[in-house]
Structure formats: C-alpha cells, structure tokens
Amino acid sequence: MFLRRSLSGICLRPGVLLFLTCASTCFFPPRAATQSPQTTATWPPISKEELELKDNPSHPGDVAIVLYREVQTDNARNLETHFTRIKILKEQGKKYGDVEIPYLEEEVQVENIRARTVAPDGQAIEFGGTIYDKVVLKTRRFRLNVKAFSLSNVQPGSILDYSYTVHGHRDIPEVIKHPEHYLLTHGYAYPAARWPVQRELSVRRVHFILHPFSPHTHIEIRSLHLPKIAAPQTQPDGTVLLDVENVPGVREEEYSPPEETMRGEVYLFYVVGYFSNDSFWSDMAGLGYRQTVKFLAQSKLIQQEVARLSSPNDTAETKLRKLYERVQQIRAVSFEPSRTEKEKERENLKPNKTAEEVLQHGYAFGNEINLLFVAMAREAGFQASPIRVTSRNRRFFVKSLPNPTQLDAEIVEVRLPEKTLFLDPATLHCPFGLLPWEETDTDGIRLEQFNGSLVKVPVATSAEALIERKATFRLDKDGNLDGKLEVSFLGQEALVRRINGNNKDEAARKKELEEETRVWLPQDATVKLTSTTGWEGASGPLRASFDVQSPSFATQAGDRLLLPVVVLRRRSEKVFQTTNGENPVYLKYSHQENDEVMVEIPQGYKLESVPAPGGVKTRFASYARTAEQKGSQLKLKRSFTMDGYAFTLEQYPGLHDFYDFVRINDEEQAILQLLPAN
C-alpha cells in the first residue's frame, strides 16, 4: 500500500481493544458527549406517573425498570456523557443501588460522577459517599478498572439517577480526519460510537446522540438485534439520533445463547477509502500474518527437534500427532493459577519473542503453543496456518461488523491432501483431532500473506461428546436400590471436566462429580465417589466409579413393586417443559449418552411385565429405551443423541415435543410381583 504520508504515527498498539489498521476497527465505549442537562446541577424532572409506577406493564413482575437512558457522544471533543434513571419495583431490585462503571484506565477517564436517590414521595437525597476505584481484571496487556459506589435509602418505589462523563485519551487518526492527504488503496474504518440499546433490565425509553467530528464525514451504521422501527436517523448537520421505546430486557434462561448475541446494539464507525466486509477481513488476515511472521521464523533448534521426532515410516497423521504431543509438553502458563507480583518477579519468566524461544524456555503464554506447533508443522513439510476465530461461548461472529475483537481465540489449520484438520494444542488437555466446543462451528480468518481469508470451522459431531454409564444395582423387597456405577466421559465431555477441574484439589473434584451424579438420581439418593482415572493428559476417557444408594426407588403397591425402567434420568425430565420459550435454545454442543443398567430382582419376586421398547428419531435427535429380563436380573438400556445444539424460537415446539417423548418414556415402569409363599 502506498501512502503520500506514513500511517505509522497513527496506528495503535495491537492487542489493545482499540486499534486502527487496514480497514479495521473495534468498539470500546468511545469518547464523546456534549454538555447535556444531566451533567449540570439540575436533574431532569420526574413525572407523577413515574413516581407512582408499581410494576412494569410490558413485563409484570420485574424487580426494576430503566425509565430513561441517554448517551451523548461528541467525537470532536473526545467526550461521552451517560445518564440513567432506574425505578426499583421489588425488594430484589435494591441491588441496582450498587453501581459499577467499568473502564480501561489506559484508554479513558471517568469523570463528573453524580447520583441521587428519590423516595416514592419525591424527596431526593444527593449522593455524597465514597467512590471506589478498583482493578477487576489485570493481564499483561491491559487493566480493567471499575468505579463503584452505593446509593443510600434504596427501597421498592425509589428512583435512582446517576450520570458520568467518559473522556478519551486519544484523538481520531489523521487518515480518518483528512483522507485527502493520503493516497488510499484500501478502506479504513474507525469507531465512532457503540450504543448499548438492550441490557438486563427493560427500558421505557432510550436516547442516543452522536456528534461526529465533521458533518461531511461518512459514517457506516450496523444495528444488531433491533426492531426495524428503531433505525438510527442522520440529520442534515451529520448528527445521528436513535430513539427506542419499550425495549425488553434480556431474559436469561437456563439454555439461552450468550447474552451478547441477544441484546440490541448499534455500532457506528467512520469509513474512508474503498471499504467492504470482505476486504476488511482480508486485510485483517494480512495484518495478523505480519504480526506473527517474526515469531514463526525458521530455527535450527526447531529443525533439529522435528528431525528427532520424525521417522521415515511415519504417515502424515502420525508425524503430526508426534509434533502435537511434543508441544503439549510445554508448560501452559495461562492455565495456571493467578500469581502475585512478587511471585512473578521471583520466577522471572521472560516473554517469548519467537517460537524457538518457546521451545527453548519450555513455557508459553496465551496461544504461543499453537504458534510453536505451526512452526514445527511447517518445518515437517505441512501446510499449517494460525486461524483467529470467534469463541461462541461469548458471542457469534458477525461478518458485517468490522470489529477485530470478535476474533478472541486462536487455533491451527493443517491442510492435508485428503482433509483439513483444525487443532488447538494450546488448550490444556485438548486431544489431537478435537477442538473445545466454543471453537467449533464458528468463523475466523487465516493468517497468511496472500491466502488470508475467512475460514469456517466445521461443526463437531455428537459422537465427539459422549457419556457412557454402566451400573449394577440390587433391589431389595422394600424397594431400596444400591450398587455400583461406572461413568466414562469421552471427547468433549472429558475435556470440559478436565479444564474445569484444572487447579482444583482432589476434594473439590470429588465434590463436583458427586453433585453431578446425584442429579441423575432421585432427590434422596446418596452418591459416594470411590475412584477416578484420567484427570491428567489429553487422550483417553475420564472415568469415575461411585457407590450409589437410593431408598424407596421402587414403589410398593400391595404385593407388587413398581420399578422405573430408566434409573439414571440425566436432566431430560426438567427441561423444556413449557410449550413456548422466551429465547432461542443454546445447548453449546451436540452430545450422546449411552446407559446400560443391570438390576438384581429381589428374592421372592418375579417380573410380571415390562414396558415395550420406546424410541423416536427426528432430524436433530434420537432416543431409544429397552428393558428385558436376564435370569434374575432386569437389563435396562437407554441411548440419547442430540445432534443439534442451537434452536430458534420457531424450532422450539419440535424440541419441546422431543423432550416430552423422552420424559414419558423415562417414566415407564416394570412390575415385579411377589411370588406365593410355599
């Protein structure tokens, strides 16, 4: 790219939430706002209707409601003012009297904080307490702070007002202000504002204003999850306005998608030069390549290590597995417990500047293990590239949104003649051929100089997340059940639990496994973990053995015992029971369950009847259940497969019907009859 003037003076540091590069932008609450009524000595008047409001008419039962929120953004002055008015409706809503304002200290400064509590009778108490400034997250690259304060006398019926100003530390780059001074061969974008229209609480009215640095600049607008009637309006002087009324709160349910994917937001950014969604991500891939090319420089040490691990008879996949296992021996510092500054100074781990240093030092930060794997794979003759992707545990990728911070994870792509592999050796305990669920079925960019482009990571199959349960139980004549349960977690199910159990002691792991298993049984059942294997490493299953006791598991009815044919229920009887859901359903990943249970029939009883086999198969799931007698035992088998993981509201009825069928079949009972006495 040729420019009449150098851009080096305006490019911001990579890795910080705000930076500018070829067609790039991201959105941290910008710096903006003209002087508004909220920053003066007076507060906007409160109506009689607001004082007397007892409930949220659009969603009765809410604990609080935002009556009004306003954000004014003034890019010319690097200022932004915020005003929020909240009505407390119930006792549980008093928590909103504790206010926290997050900010990045290096990027912005929070000033002019004012607040008050207005009693139901209209009497106001101005806030005069202490405002605490605390660090809530600290990494090697940035520090997240919070301004926190608590309002007094907050009760149901109270109205809370608070306002503050955000002042940015950096000015808009010259290439955005004066593109006529540059010869632009690419498009450039820079954030103007980010408007959070929808959050946890319902909002009666929200008002946003953007005053651009120039009325003649071009502003692109991206609206996410907003009703069509709520479109931003551009005024003749360049000001952008948005007014939205009766915004519902984001109602989180047990299996809701991440909140960020449901809440309405508006992104505004300046654009100069030729800009398109495809060119933006292509340029981002090129930037990523330039950021990693020095780190992946050829090395004699890496060459020697690859030669040591290789054998002439190795297949391509065997060779790749050896490299994968080798880099996973590197100490993953990012998965270790947080350490104090003194502990860090004592150990004095120097930053790695190249993949060779990762191999030499024997430790890695962040995704450096993945980059070492790329370097070794290339040395071994493979086509390997780093891929930056969106972790869908927090958000979903939006191509039309030129925000590089969407790409918050990194994996490795290896292109073989017969297939393409996506791998992540930098994730602790992640086996070869498997990705953490949040890195599957997502989008990313390939960091290559000339072949950089958007990449689609394939969805994982249900067979890659399997739970197998085998049990041998004894049923006594009083209906009590006791025996042994063996559980094997494989693939994704093992990885999730290994990562969750990382840095936890044996007692904590034991408690979590016992609590999980207890959910599968009646409420009064007791579960005791007797042994586990497979916590360490990446390959193989994680296995756990339990002693189980469930009193009165079978129901006595005269001279008969009624025994449920599904002993281990999982959670299917408790989910999706309502005919309509408020949110789409998000199960995170596809999965399978296979159960085989043997129940010893009590002496003196015979099997009178068992229910017929039950089963159903849909385009997204399947279920099968059988029960049969084997000598003095009742053999119970159950299989459950969920091939889908994301369901829209329109698909919810089908999901509800499937789980309804599962519940009904899980509740079927076998009948044991008492034999006549001799």
Side-chain angles (χ1 to χ4, degrees):
M1 181 191 333
F2 175 77
L3 301 176
R4 291 196 183 97
R5 292 174 57 186
S6 169
L7 293 182
S8 60
I10 61 171
C11 289
L12 307 180
R13 298 189 308 277
V16 179
L17 288 182
L18 272 175
F19 66 95
L20 171 74
T21 184
C22 242
S24 67
T25 182
C26 71
F27 299 87
F28 182 79
R31 39 274 193 200
T34 55
Q35 193 77 358
S36 68
Q38 286 79 349
T39 58
T40 63
T42 61
W43 297 95
I46 299 174
S47 68
K48 180 181 178 182
E49 185 267 340
E50 289 175 327
L51 283 172
E52 296 176 352
L53 186 68
K54 303 295 184 183
D55 203 353
N56 179 6
S58 61
H59 198 275
D62 280 0
V63 299
I65 183 174
V66 176
L67 298 175
Y68 181 68
R69 184 166 74 242
E70 178 181 300
V71 179
Q72 288 203 38
T73 304
D74 186 345
N75 289 157
R77 301 172 60 198
N78 278 1
L79 292 175
E80 187 169 87
T81 57
H82 294 252
F83 169 72
T84 301
R85 171 167 287 169
I86 298 176
K87 174 83 175 189
I88 308 303
L89 301 173
K90 296 186 181 299
E91 190 74 19
Q92 302 93 311
K94 291 168 60 176
K95 64 182 181 181
Y96 294 102
D98 298 324
V99 181
E100 291 190 345
I101 306 169
Y103 69 99
L104 289 179
E105 190 175 46
E106 293 184 358
E107 304 295 330
V108 298
Q109 183 176 345
V110 179
E111 305 169 324
N112 303 324
I113 296 177
R114 296 181 60 236
R116 68 171 182 170
T117 304
V118 181
D121 61 2
Q123 295 295 316
I125 302 176
E126 294 288 333
F127 172 74
T130 303
I131 298 174
Y132 298 93
D133 197 327
K134 54 187 179 181
V135 179
V136 294
L137 179 63
K138 186 176 182 181
T139 71
R140 296 171 61 208
R141 294 183 174 181
F142 71 92
R143 186 171 68 176
L144 179 64
N145 286 53
V146 160
K147 297 278 189 182
F149 59 93
S150 296
L151 292 165
S152 60
N153 297 325
V154 178
Q155 300 294 332
S158 299
I159 289 178
L160 314 180
D161 287 342
Y162 63 89
S163 66
Y164 58 92
T165 301
V166 178
H167 187 279
H169 295 328
R170 292 176 297 143
D171 199 5
I172 295 174
E174 283 297 310
V175 69
I176 300 296
K177 286 185 174 181
H178 301 288
E180 68 276 9
H181 297 164
Y182 299 83
L183 179 61
L184 302 176
T185 58
H186 292 262
Y188 288 81
Y190 192 81
R194 177 185 179 182
W195 291 340
V197 178
Q198 191 176 30
R199 286 296 183 264
E200 178 183 357
L201 292 177
S202 297
V203 182
R204 298 190 79 182
R205 181 168 176 254
V206 60
H207 178 59
F208 295 101
I209 307 172
L210 168 65
H211 299 286
F213 68 87
S214 168
H216 307 296
T217 186
H218 176 59
I219 297 177
E220 289 278 339
I221 300 174
R222 300 288 188 267
S223 298
L224 303 181
H225 315 298
L226 290 185
K228 293 182 179 179
I229 58 173
Q233 304 294 322
T234 302
Q235 308 302 304
D237 64 353
T239 300
V240 183
L241 303 177
L242 175 64
D243 285 282
V244 190
E245 294 184 353
N246 299 321
V247 182
V250 178
R251 317 291 176 185
E252 282 200 84
E253 298 175 314
E254 185 175 9
Y255 293 103
S256 296
E259 182 183 336
E260 189 169 329
T261 67
M262 298 189 294
R263 62 194 186 195
E265 292 187 321
V266 176
Y267 295 81
L268 304 96
F269 51 94
Y270 300 109
V271 168
V272 296
Y274 174 76
F275 176 86
S276 71
N277 295 327
D278 289 330
S279 66
F280 170 80
W281 294 111
S282 176
D283 290 339
M284 284 302 303
L287 171 68
Y289 169 81
R290 293 189 293 275
Q291 290 173 337
T292 60
V293 66
K294 290 184 179 179
F295 199 91
L296 296 172
Q298 287 186 317
S299 155
K300 284 188 176 180
L301 181 63
I302 290 177
Q303 183 181 14
Q304 292 168 358
E305 187 66 7
V306 171
R308 183 184 71 83
L309 295 169
S310 301
S311 171
N313 298 325
D314 287 344
T315 64
E317 187 166 318
T318 299
K319 185 183 297 185
L320 205 58
R321 284 179 179 272
K322 288 182 177 180
L323 301 180
Y324 190 95
E325 292 172 3
R326 174 64 184 91
V327 300
Q328 283 208 317
Q329 295 171 10
I330 300 294
R331 174 186 171 190
V333 179
S334 300
F335 281 89
E336 296 177 355
S338 300
R339 294 170 296 165
T340 64
E341 292 298 327
K342 288 185 177 180
E343 289 173 334
K344 292 177 182 178
E345 291 176 6
R346 191 181 307 121
E347 192 169 12
N348 191 26
L349 296 180
K350 298 179 180 179
N352 293 311
K353 298 179 181 178
T354 63
E356 180 183 66
E357 289 189 356
V358 175
L359 188 62
Q360 190 176 32
H361 293 159
Y363 58 79
F365 302 95
N367 291 302
E368 290 175 350
I369 289 177
N370 281 348
L371 293 177
L372 172 61
F373 181 66
V374 170
M376 296 182 73
R378 288 177 177 177
E379 183 61 43
F382 293 99
Q383 286 184 292
S385 302
I387 307 289
R388 288 181 182 166
V389 299
T390 299
S391 295
R392 56 180 180 84
N393 60 336
R394 290 188 287 271
R395 60 180 67 88
F396 299 151
F397 179 76
V398 181
K399 180 182 177 181
S400 62
L401 182 62
N403 180 357
T405 60
Q406 292 186 83
L407 308 178
D408 52 2
E410 191 170 289
I411 61 175
V412 177
E413 178 192 50
V414 182
R415 300 183 290 281
L416 302 177
E418 68 280 5
K419 60 182 176 181
T420 298
L421 297 175
F422 293 95
L423 308 169
D424 188 4
T427 292
L428 195 68
H429 304 307
C430 188
F432 182 91
L434 190 75
L435 288 175
W437 67 263
E438 63 270 18
E439 296 173 356
T440 65
D441 197 21
T442 188
D443 298 86
I445 56 174
R446 179 185 297 112
L447 306 189
E448 289 191 359
Q449 186 174 13
F450 303 113
N451 196 29
S453 60
L454 285 171
V455 176
K456 180 67 178 180
V457 183
V459 63
T461 66
S462 60
E464 295 177 83
L466 174 63
I467 297 178
E468 291 182 337
R469 299 177 296 185
K470 295 184 178 181
T472 302
F473 293 128
R474 184 182 65 85
L475 185 70
D476 67 21
K477 60 183 178 61
D478 296 320
N480 303 313
L481 192 77
D482 72 90
K484 304 287 186 181
L485 170 63
E486 305 285 337
V487 184
S488 296
F489 303 99
L490 297 96
Q492 198 69 241
E493 300 289 2
L495 176 60
V496 167
R497 287 163 180 80
R498 283 170 176 150
I499 292 177
N500 184 54
N502 187 46
N503 299 321
K504 293 181 180 177
D505 59 20
E506 185 178 350
R509 291 175 174 178
K510 179 177 184 291
K511 180 181 178 182
E512 289 184 356
L513 282 175
E514 288 179 344
E515 288 178 349
E516 179 180 5
T517 304
R518 194 173 290 111
V519 175
W520 305 340
L521 294 154
Q523 191 171 5
D524 54 357
T526 58
V527 175
K528 181 180 179 181
L529 179 69
T530 57
S531 67
T532 56
T533 59
W535 279 112
E536 304 303 323
S539 60
L542 170 63
R543 289 194 171 95
S545 300
F546 302 89
D547 286 338
V548 175
Q549 292 182 334
S550 182
S552 302
F553 183 81
T555 304
Q556 290 185 321
D559 61 352
R560 288 173 172 81
L561 287 174
L562 307 182
L563 172 69
V565 293
V566 173
V567 179
L568 306 168
R569 293 278 188 97
R570 287 289 276 166
R571 302 177 67 185
S572 58
E573 73 277 9
K574 299 179 181 179
V575 297
F576 314 125
Q577 293 189 7
T578 59
T579 55
N580 295 300
E582 289 194 31
N583 297 320
V585 173
Y586 189 59
L587 302 176
K588 297 183 179 178
Y589 54 90
S590 304
H591 61 279
Q592 294 184 13
E593 303 165 9
N594 292 323
D595 298 339
E596 187 173 317
V597 178
M598 303 294 289
V599 179
E600 184 75 25
I601 297 173
Q603 188 174 3
Y605 279 82
K606 70 173 184 177
L607 183 63
E608 181 178 87
S609 66
V610 294
V616 65
K617 184 174 178 59
T618 72
R619 61 180 182 81
F620 60 83
S622 63
Y623 167 88
R625 187 249 324 128
T626 61
E628 60 178 334
Q629 186 172 6
K630 292 287 187 180
S632 62
Q633 292 182 320
L634 184 62
K635 184 178 182 180
L636 311 173
K637 296 184 71 173
R638 180 183 186 271
S639 65
F640 178 100
T641 298
M642 177 56 67
D643 287 317
Y645 73 87
F647 300 86
T648 64
L649 286 176
E650 291 73 22
Q651 295 169 321
Y652 182 90
L655 190 68
H656 164 76
D657 292 346
F658 171 76
Y659 274 93
D660 235 16
F661 181 91
V662 172
R663 274 189 291 270
I664 292 170
N665 277 267
D666 281 355
E667 291 169 359
E668 292 279 354
Q669 294 182 324
I671 301 176
L672 306 180
Q673 185 180 24
L674 182 65
L675 293 171
N678 291 331

